[in-house]
Amino acid sequence: MKKLTLPTLVMFFLCCSRLMAQGDKVDSSEMKTLRIDPYTSRGAAMSQVFQEINFIPLETTKESVFGSIDQLKITKDRFIIWDYDTKAVLIFNKQGKFIAKISGNKVESEPDNKNQDKFFGFTLLKEKDQDIIRISSGKINNYFDLEGKLVRKSREEDLRTDEQQFSDSTRVEIGRMEKKNKDSTYYDISLTKNKKMVAGYYPFNADRYKKDMFLYGGNPITNSGIRDELFFTRAYEYNIYRVTPKKLYLSYNIIFPAVYSLPADFISNPEYIGKRDEYFNKNPKVYYGISNNYKIGDNLYFKVHNRKWGNDEKKAFIYNLKNNALTSISDLEPDTLSQFLPVTDAGVSYDFLNRGFHLYEQGYLYVSYSSLALFTFKDQNQGKNRKYNAVLTKYFKTQNKRSNPVLIQLKPKEN
């Protein structure tokens, strides 16, 4: 079993210097305030929440064995995975069959690069209707096709990212620098088109990185579930922003009970500067951020982040915006739809507690857990006369607890 690790944390350092520019105004005219107490949440049967559940074992071979899914992208017929443990990008087809592996020895880096890891993750691009994997190592960009073959190399300055670009080519950028001088102005989030900034929000100075620490629960940008809209979150806030090609909206302000909430002056009060890590160690229940935000029909999915750990912790939820019902994802009960198997590893390991869902795309949520967890759940079903479909029957006969992780595809209900 893997060691317990904290959620992926992104640290920024903030000084109290005055802002040098006025950012664009966030539209809060349609903001909804949601009062949510996570520990009033309830469980539900899998079939009450999802309409389809598919287990997809990822083929284990000598070349394809890996530890966990740290980044997942999906194309029409491929799963593309970054695994931090093996420092590799792995490509599988939609049935889980192994296609190719891109490891460090296939990636060119700067000659003087002393970092043996060479690269951290990848970007999926679309070029002339073809999906291309870009892996950047230092200033060198390596491009691979979906068979894992090197297509070309370059030293491009203006690098596009697929997950932060709308259909009209408007780009969403995090931490954009607008002026290149000693008084440079940066923006937490900005919209650009044709390399020109359309709007910039929450400006800050470059020297904010020197004195203080900000913690995030994960990627501040997620696919909201609606075409040409993204969700955005900031550190030390319980707000969910909606990003469109035109502007930034404050959509939801979540109010949690005081025991889980930051002090109202946590960002503005200089007494906390340089002491935030100490504060969270002393107050492990307090949420330092939210993430994994998706709106699927009437349901708002979200995940909270704090320093309190344990198999009984509730950290991922579904909030129904119509009837205010709150469902704890870790308390979902297996039933016939899930072949009486859980869809998270709660109670056995910490993959879901750490990462939550990998993404929401084309109507499906994706999550994963280890083969160790899946065999453990199977063992718990011993003597209960459980029946598994052909995919899992073959998996349990041919694989073991050390096999590759299993990807789980979930189609959520919308009401």
Side-chain angles (χ1 to χ4, degrees), residues 14-19 207-208 211-212 267-270 273:
L14 173 71
C15 75
C16 294
S17 59
R18 297 180 64 182
L19 298 177
D207 59 357
R208 84 169 184 173
K211 295 182 180 180
D212 205 355
I267 296 178
S268 60
N269 190 335
I273 294 177

Side-chain angles (χ1 to χ4, degrees), residues 280-294:
F280 288 114
N281 287 334
K282 289 181 177 179
N283 299 275
K285 289 185 177 181
V286 172
Y287 302 142
Y288 56 78
I290 57 177
S291 70
N292 279 115
N293 305 301
Y294 312 101

Side-chain angles (χ1 to χ4, degrees), residues 308-355:
K308 192 171 188 309
W309 289 90
N311 283 330
D312 59 344
E313 283 295 297
K314 302 173 187 284
K315 294 196 176 186
F317 305 93
I318 308 168
Y319 181 79
N320 189 284
L321 296 164
K322 281 196 171 181
N323 61 25
N324 303 321
L326 185 65
T327 302
S328 168
I329 293 173
S330 62
D331 291 330
L332 294 177
E333 291 290 335
D335 60 12
T336 54
L337 184 67
S338 68
Q339 303 178 68
F340 293 98
L341 296 167
V343 296
T344 78
D345 58 1
V348 172
S349 190
Y350 297 94
D351 276 4
F352 186 76
L353 207 57
N354 280 334
R355 299 182 179 90

Side-chain angles (χ1 to χ4, degrees), residues 140-158:
I140 298 179
N141 307 296
N142 302 261
Y143 295 81
F144 297 84
D145 64 19
L146 297 191
E147 301 298 319
K149 297 178 181 178
L150 182 66
V151 175
R152 70 176 191 277
K153 301 172 186 177
S154 74
R155 286 174 174 265
E156 297 163 278
E157 294 183 2
D158 183 36

